[in-house]
């Protein structure tokens, strides 16, 4: 069970920059590749403190991923970081053909993922990156819930020989996990909260909102369990099936389109092994837009209140199945 400390906030991108700097000092193979956004992604920490490990590739993401592939073939471990929209969508062919197919040791980090990226609007938002990356053979797809989990993921990624995509949020987020005890394990979900009426399955930034929703539901007399999924590919089939068998009602929660993301992945598991009523909370066939975090969460139906509404809907379907 995770130790939840939602009052404390910490920035993923700051931790990413600090941890990558530490890895670059530890291992001569580690390189940071930047697409002219180092100040935003915090790759500037490497540029300032370990400049020989920092490669400025400019606003040319396809070339950047191609260079990363080449570096990997001669023994380096390149870490490529830019906005998720630019890393994944602009350079998909290079990722698929030059990195994923030969299973090269390239780490791709999508910063500024989802909707909440500082009013930059739909051209800079990425609501499809999980769906795209998990469709590629040999690709691992990870989405941390907080800065503690990100640091452990990076330690795993450093040791793993192969391509990995890690999805980061822009703004400071509540700390969910205890840094002394948390351990990341590929393909394993984390039971953040136990419950009997419904299971909330969340990933990334939405896990702390799932916790808030579960607390709201508790006041209504409803018991909601929370299964956090940091490893979207491979996914924890066993934990998802166990949750379905225990509560017979699932709500997935993600800051991403419901098509092909966490909701799609969970639906695939349930369809094969444990069909139960499912409600998917995420962006529904819409592009993003500029706006404040609160306004976007409200408009796109991603607040804790929207999660509570989703629980009510799935519980109604659960009743019908029983009857």
């Amino acid at each position: 069970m995770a130790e939840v400390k939602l009052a404390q906030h910490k920035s993923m991108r700051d931790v990413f920059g600090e941890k990558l700097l530490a890895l670059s000092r530890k291992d001569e193979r580690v390189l940071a590749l930047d697409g002219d956004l180092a100040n935003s992604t915090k790759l500037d920490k490497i540029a300032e403190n370990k400049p020989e490990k920092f490669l400025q590739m400019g606003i040319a993401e396809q070339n950047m991923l191609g260079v990363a592939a080449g570096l990997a073939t001669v023994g380096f471990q390149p870490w490529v970081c830019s906005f998720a929209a630019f890393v994944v969508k602009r350079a998909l062919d290079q990722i698929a053909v030059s990195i994923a197919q030969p299973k090269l040791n390239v780490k791709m980090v999508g910063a500024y993922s989802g909707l909440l990226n500082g009013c930059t609007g739909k051209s800079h938002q990425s609501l499809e990156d999980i769906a795209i990356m998990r469709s590629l053979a040999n690709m691992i797809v990870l989405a941390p819930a907080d800065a503690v989990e990100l640091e452990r993921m990076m330690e795993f990624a450093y040791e793993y020989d192969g391509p990995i995509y890690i999805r980061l949020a822009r703004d400071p987020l509540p700390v969910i996990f205890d840094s002394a005890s948390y351990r990341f394990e590929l393909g394993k979900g984390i039971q953040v909260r136990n419950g009997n009426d419904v299971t909330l399955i969340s990933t990334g930034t939405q896990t702390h909102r799932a916790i808030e929703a579960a607390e709201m539901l508790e006041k209504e007399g409803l018991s909601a369990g929370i299964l956090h999924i940091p490893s979207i590919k491979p996914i924890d089939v066993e934990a998802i099936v166990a949750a379905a068998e225990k509560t017979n009602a699932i709500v997935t929660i993600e800051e991403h389109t419901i098509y092909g993301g966490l909701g799609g992945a969970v639906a695939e598991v349930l369809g094969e092994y444990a069909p139960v009523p499912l409600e998917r909370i995420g962006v529904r066939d819409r592009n993003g837009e500029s706006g404040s975090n609160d306004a976007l969460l409200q408009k796109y139906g991603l607040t804790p209140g929207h999660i509570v509404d989703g629980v009510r809907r799935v519980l109604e379907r659960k009743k019908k199945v029983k009857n």
Side-chain angles (χ1 to χ4, degrees), residues 21-216:
L21 174 60
L23 291 174
S24 73
R25 285 172 166 160
K26 172 183 177 180
D27 190 334
E28 63 181 11
R29 299 175 306 142
V30 173
L31 298 174
L33 277 65
D34 173 51
D36 201 28
L37 286 168
N39 183 59
S40 296
T41 64
K42 302 307 177 182
L43 285 182
D44 56 359
K45 296 179 187 296
I46 294 91
E48 293 167 4
N49 296 284
K50 199 73 174 171
E52 69 274 19
K53 294 298 191 74
F54 178 82
L55 300 180
Q56 176 55 264
M57 307 306 299
I59 307 175
E61 290 82 8
Q62 294 173 338
N63 179 63
M64 179 165 63
L65 271 297
V67 169
L71 289 168
T73 65
V74 293
F76 289 101
Q77 186 183 88
W79 288 67
V80 179
C81 184
S82 186
F83 288 8
F86 305 156
V87 169
V88 173
K89 292 189 283 188
R90 286 186 180 172
L92 178 57
D93 184 64
Q94 283 69 27
I95 293 171
V97 176
S98 300
I99 295 173
Q101 286 185 17
K103 201 178 179 182
L104 294 182
N105 192 23
V106 177
K107 316 307 173 185
M108 290 149 283
V109 181
Y112 283 56
S113 67
L115 281 171
L116 311 185
N117 56 14
C119 294
T120 54
K122 62 186 176 183
S123 63
H124 288 50
Q125 293 164 334
S126 183
L127 302 174
E128 315 86 3
D129 52 311
I130 292 173
I132 292 168
M133 295 299 265
R134 83 178 187 93
S135 71
L136 300 178
N138 299 323
M139 185 65 66
I140 285 174
V141 180
L142 309 176
D146 67 4
V148 170
E149 187 165 57
L150 168 62
E151 187 168 5
R152 299 296 177 271
M153 276 183 182
M154 292 181 69
E155 291 167 358
F156 163 80
Y158 168 71
E159 296 292 342
Y160 178 82
D161 185 14
I164 294 180
Y165 175 64
I166 303 177
R167 189 180 208 244
L168 303 187
R170 174 186 183 271
D171 295 332
L173 291 170
V175 173
I176 296 173
F177 301 112
D178 176 63
S179 61
S181 62
Y182 178 80
R183 297 292 180 269
F184 170 78
E185 188 175 352
L186 182 66
K188 293 297 181 182
I190 299 168
Q191 194 71 36
V192 174
R193 183 185 179 111
N194 292 316
N196 298 314
D197 296 319
V198 64
T199 302
L200 310 179
I201 300 182
S202 58
T203 193
T205 57
Q206 286 295 74
T207 292
H208 76 87
R209 297 186 185 98
I211 294 169
E212 293 177 27
E215 293 170 351
M216 294 165 66

